Every structure is written in structure tokens, then in C-alpha cells.
Amino acid sequence: MVSIRSFQNLMHRLYFHRDSERGTEGTYQWLREEVDELGEALTEANMEALAGEFADVAAWLASLANLLKLDLEDALLQKYGNECPKCHSLPCNCPFTTRKS
Amino acid sequence: MVSIRSFQNLMHRLYFHRDSERGTEGTYQWLREEVDELGEALTEANMEALAGEFADVAAWLASLANLLKLDLEDALLQKYGNECPKCHSLPCNCPFTTRKS
């Protein structure tokens, strides 16, 4: 079992020296590129490649959080502790929409 | 402590009925919009809002993984078990680049 915090700590040990050098804006842009790659992988039916792209998006999200000294596990618990943050139900009972905007 | 798997399971319990209705493409597009919002929040210095945006990106990433029946914790362990997947060092010792492309 891997906790969200221990994964974020591993990313810190692995990459914080590089992330610091690149900075917040560069690290965010890299995250965006990983999300683009995830989108491309969705169009192919290769689960192994897809798993790698999911891992990359999570890794860059953790790197960005590390640069901001933000604890991802706390952020997740705060917003999605045990219910939908909007309707306060589990499962979510919000009116269904297909798109955010 | 929250494991990556238990967070993904919570997102399943909360949102899988909605995610299924929306589908993979719509859920991916929503993830992209959350990444845009994270970028906007980075330009403001409101840590509470920023934490919420990080949580949203992670939540939508988990929703997308749920639709594909992909275990995020396995994907992360597979790629970032205990070393950089490229140079196989901890900390990473790859040549430094500021941008992916």
C-alpha cells in the first residue's frame, strides 16, 4: 500500500532538485504536456502505455505540489474527505452535467 | 494516512455513476479544464484555493482511471517504484532540461 503522502515524498527525493531549478511555471507547463500525452494515449488501446501516462501526470502534479510546499494528501482529505464537496452526499447526488463549462 | 488506492476507491463510490454516464472523452476534457484552473490559481497567492485545485485535478485523474479500470497505485509503483524510470537513480541524475519538448 502506498500513501499519497509517501508518493509525494518519493517525488521530492527523486526530483525536487530538478523541479526547483525548473521552477513553478516550467513544472506546470510540463504537467500540461503530460496531460496532452495522456489524451493521446487514450486514443490507442495500449493499457501499459496508458498506465505510464497516468503515472506521469500524477508524478508531475506531486512535483508541482512539492514546489509550493503543499501537502496533496491534506488537500484531498480537505476537499473529498468522505462526501461530494458540492452536495455533501456519497454517492454524489448533484444535478448531472456532461461538461464543466 | 490515505492510500492512493483508497482515494481512487472513494472517487469510484462518489462519482462512478456520473463518470460512466459522461464517458471517457468527456471526463478527460473535464480533467483538462481542471488543469487550466490549477494554472489560473497558480497566478494568485491563495493557498486554500490552490489546494482545492490540486485536489480537483487528482480527483478527475482518479475518475478517468476508474472508467478505464486502471489501478493508479499499481501504475505509480510500476513506473516510479523507488528510482527514476530513465536513469534508475535516486535522486534522479538525468541530464537537466527545462522543457519536455
Side-chain angles (χ1 to χ4, degrees):
Chain A
M1 193 185 73
V2 181
S3 72
I4 294 166
R5 186 163 297 131
S6 67
F7 175 69
Q8 182 173 358
N9 285 342
L10 174 62
M11 293 301 105
H12 196 288
R13 289 161 61 211
L14 272 169
Y15 297 121
F16 190 70
H17 58 307
R18 299 304 172 89
D19 295 334
S20 301
E21 204 167 343
R22 188 184 314 101
T24 304
E25 175 58 27
T27 301
Y28 174 72
Q29 289 305 330
W30 206 310
L31 169 65
R32 290 186 67 94
E33 292 181 37
E34 293 297 346
V35 173
D36 290 344
E37 288 185 11
L38 173 59
E40 289 160 22
L42 283 174
T43 65
E44 299 159 20
N46 180 338
M47 283 306 281
E48 194 178 328
L50 204 49
E53 298 300 341
F54 270 94
D56 287 344
V57 171
W60 284 91
L61 189 68
S63 274
L64 188 60
N66 281 332
L67 284 175
L68 296 160
K69 298 187 185 358
L70 187 147
D71 186 290
L72 274 180
E73 189 167 307
D74 279 348
L76 289 166
L77 278 176
Q78 186 75 26
K79 185 142 192 186
Y80 298 96
N82 209 22
E83 59 182 31
C84 172
K86 289 182 184 158
C87 68
H88 304 290
S89 300
L90 189 173
C92 163
N93 198 29
C94 292
F96 180 71
T97 51
T98 53
R99 291 293 299 276
K100 187 180 183 68
S101 52
Chain B
M1 193 186 73
V2 182
S3 73
I4 294 166
R5 186 163 296 131
S6 67
F7 175 69
Q8 183 173 359
N9 286 341
L10 174 62
M11 293 302 103
H12 196 288
R13 289 162 61 212
L14 271 169
Y15 297 120
F16 190 70
H17 58 307
R18 299 303 173 88
D19 295 335
S20 300
E21 204 167 342
R22 189 184 313 103
T24 304
E25 176 57 26
T27 301
Y28 174 72
Q29 289 305 330
W30 206 311
L31 168 66
R32 291 186 66 93
E33 291 181 36
E34 294 297 347
V35 173
D36 289 344
E37 288 184 11
L38 174 59
E40 288 159 23
L42 283 174
T43 64
E44 298 158 21
N46 181 338
M47 282 306 280
E48 195 178 326
L50 204 49
E53 297 301 339
F54 270 94
D56 287 344
V57 171
W60 284 90
L61 189 69
S63 274
L64 188 61
N66 281 332
L67 283 175
L68 296 160
K69 297 187 185 359
L70 187 147
D71 186 290
L72 275 180
E73 189 166 308
D74 279 348
L76 288 167
L77 278 176
Q78 186 74 27
K79 185 140 191 187
Y80 297 97
N82 209 22
E83 59 182 31
C84 171
K86 290 182 183 157
C87 68
H88 304 290
S89 300
L90 191 174
C92 162
N93 198 30
C94 293
F96 181 72
T97 51
T98 53
R99 291 295 298 275
K100 187 179 182 68
S101 51

